[in-house]
């Protein structure tokens, strides 16, 4: 807990971010207050995110590693484009961000980025890519701020901005307990994510004082889901956490409503649900609660993105935008030509971004302020706003 000043600081920072972001939504010429003619303005426009070796020597070089080709290219290009928007929106006076494609190999991309003089790496996207880049970055003493949420790759100068299921589960379980839920069951997928979700549910329920009725594993097929739900038993439980995508959860929820134990259970979800733009159309999830980062500023970012690039961004695009905001804030105290001041990443006051306030804790995982949302008919409603400070 803080002494009361910290929440106000974070709230103030978040408010300033919102104002700055909204200012960035304006047409650039409208921000100029100098009288015409415009030809007297000699200042060059800020550099965008580029590929290849930067030529200027007056800005800190920062590498962005993202998959621009391959199966994850849509997500990677969204992240890179959003980073470009952040550079332009903040003026780009102190940093130069260069994007490197990890589609042909993350380690090779990192080696090229370091050889070209970048002092900080943003990305890559996947945990296996972070593992490949980690020794390359460590050998060059270059810190890494990745977009994965796999805690096993964090630490040793690697920080992660991804949305951790542990935080989302703890938030929604605690909220449900505060609304009278005293027993909870879990349906989790086989694999690493399911293992993390199971552990998070047990810990969150224990911390809240909620009884865990049962946790069952399934392989995402309807037959496996039906068998797992049957194993949950016929004794009623107050809530059912379905730790999977919204589409899988919707199918499982239909089956759960036919089960004795889950007939009247409140459905709970994870941060994965927030990536589905069609979530509000899934009638079987109506009334369900899930925790996620706030979408308020993201909607503005998505609107600007569609205007600029002609398509909708991935929900993960905000990671690219917020990582540039983070570096921009630190760059004010980053001496030109020196190593990146890594200690600033551990600032207790945290950072503000499109996804709200966040900070890197002892585990080097982004600790986020999450809100609880409810799936309603055709809309998603915020039932418990995110705290404004840590």
């Amino acid at each position: 807990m803080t002494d009361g000043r910290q929440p106000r600081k974070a709230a103030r920072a978040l408010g300033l971010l919102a104002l700055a972001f909204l200012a960035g939504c304006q047409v650039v010429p409208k921000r100029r207050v100098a009288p015409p003619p415009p030809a007297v303005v000699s200042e060059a426009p800020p550099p965008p995110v580029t590929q290849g070796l930067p030529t200027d020597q007056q800005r800190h070089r920062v590498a962005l590693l993202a998959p621009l080709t391959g199966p994850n290219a849509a997500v990677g290009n969204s992240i890179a484009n959003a980073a470009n928007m952040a550079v332009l929106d903040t003026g780009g006076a102190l940093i130069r961000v260069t994007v490197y494609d990890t589609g042909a190999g993350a380690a090779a991309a990192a080696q090229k980025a370091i050889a070209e003089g970048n002092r900080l790496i943003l990305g890559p996207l996947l945990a296996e890519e972070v593992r490949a880049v980690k020794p390359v970055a460590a050998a060059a003493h270059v810190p890494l701020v990745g977009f994965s949420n796999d805690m096993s790759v964090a630490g040793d100068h690697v920080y992660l901005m991804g949305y951790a299921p542990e935080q989302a589960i703890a938030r929604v379980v605690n909220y449900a307990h505060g609304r009278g839920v005293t027993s909870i069951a879990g349906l989790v997928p086989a694999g690493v994510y399911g293992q993390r979700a199971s552990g998070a549910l047990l810990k969150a329920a224990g911390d809240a004082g909620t009884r865990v009725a049962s946790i069952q594993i399934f392989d995402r097929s309807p037959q496996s889901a039906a068998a797992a739900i049957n194993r949950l038993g016929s004794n009623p439980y107050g809530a059912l956490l379905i730790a999977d995508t919204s589409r899988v959860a919707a199918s499982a929820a239909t089956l759960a409503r036919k089960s004795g134990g889950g007939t009247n259970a409140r459905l709970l979800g994870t941060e994965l649900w927030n990536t589905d733009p069609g979530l509000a159309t899934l009638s079987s999830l109506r009334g369900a609660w899930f925790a996620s980062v706030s979408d308020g500023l993201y909607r503005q970012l998505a609107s600007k993105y569609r205007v600029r690039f002609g398509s909708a961004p991935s929900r993960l695009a905000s990671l690219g935008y917020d990582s540039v905001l983070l570096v921009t804030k630190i760059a004010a105290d980053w001496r030109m030509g020196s190593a990146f001041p890594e200690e600033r990443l551990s600032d207790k006051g945290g950072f503000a971004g499109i996804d709200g306030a966040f900070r890197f804790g002892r585990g080097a995982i982004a600790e986020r302020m999450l809100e609880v949302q409810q799936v309603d008919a055709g809309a998603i409603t915020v039932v418990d706003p995110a705290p404004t400070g840590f």
Side-chain angles (χ1 to χ4, degrees), residues 55-242:
T55 56
D56 64 274
Q57 302 296 320
Q58 304 304 313
R59 296 174 174 88
H60 299 293
R61 294 182 180 177
V62 177
L64 174 67
L65 272 57
L68 305 182
T69 57
N72 295 306
V75 177
N77 279 282
S78 284
I79 290 173
N81 288 340
N84 183 13
M85 293 172 65
V87 171
L88 295 173
D89 287 347
T90 57
L94 295 176
I95 65 171
R96 176 69 179 251
V97 181
T98 308
V99 65
Y100 297 83
D101 183 13
T102 60
Q111 289 168 347
K112 182 178 180 181
I114 291 171
E116 293 185 352
N118 291 280
R119 301 296 183 93
L120 174 69
I121 292 176
L122 305 177
L125 176 63
L126 304 177
E128 55 265 32
E129 293 176 330
V130 175
R131 288 191 184 94
V133 170
K134 191 171 184 176
V136 177
H141 305 290
V142 172
L144 185 154
V145 179
F147 303 136
S148 169
N149 67 358
D150 188 338
M151 294 186 296
S152 68
V153 298
D156 297 327
H157 312 291
V158 173
Y159 303 79
L160 299 182
M161 289 186 65
Y163 315 126
E166 290 83 358
Q167 295 179 32
I169 291 173
R171 178 78 165 95
V172 75
V173 168
N174 188 63
Y175 177 80
H177 179 78
R179 269 71 189 164
V181 173
T182 58
S183 62
I184 188 170
L187 193 63
V188 303
V192 174
Y193 186 88
Q195 294 171 4
R196 293 176 64 185
S198 294
L201 176 55
L202 289 170
K203 184 180 187 306
D207 291 344
T210 302
R211 180 179 65 87
V212 177
S214 178
I215 299 177
Q216 296 297 327
I217 302 171
F218 72 114
D219 65 8
R220 290 189 167 96
S221 70
Q223 297 80 5
S224 179
I229 290 169
N230 286 334
R231 292 195 300 271
L232 290 176
S234 58
N235 292 328
Y237 36 85
L240 173 62
L241 174 74
I242 307 177

Side-chain angles (χ1 to χ4, degrees), residues 302-324:
S303 178
K304 286 183 60 180
Y305 188 104
R306 283 190 291 268
V307 170
R308 180 169 295 179
F309 299 105
S311 61
S314 162
R315 182 59 183 82
L316 299 181
S318 57
L319 295 176
Y321 196 99
D322 285 357
S323 66
V324 171

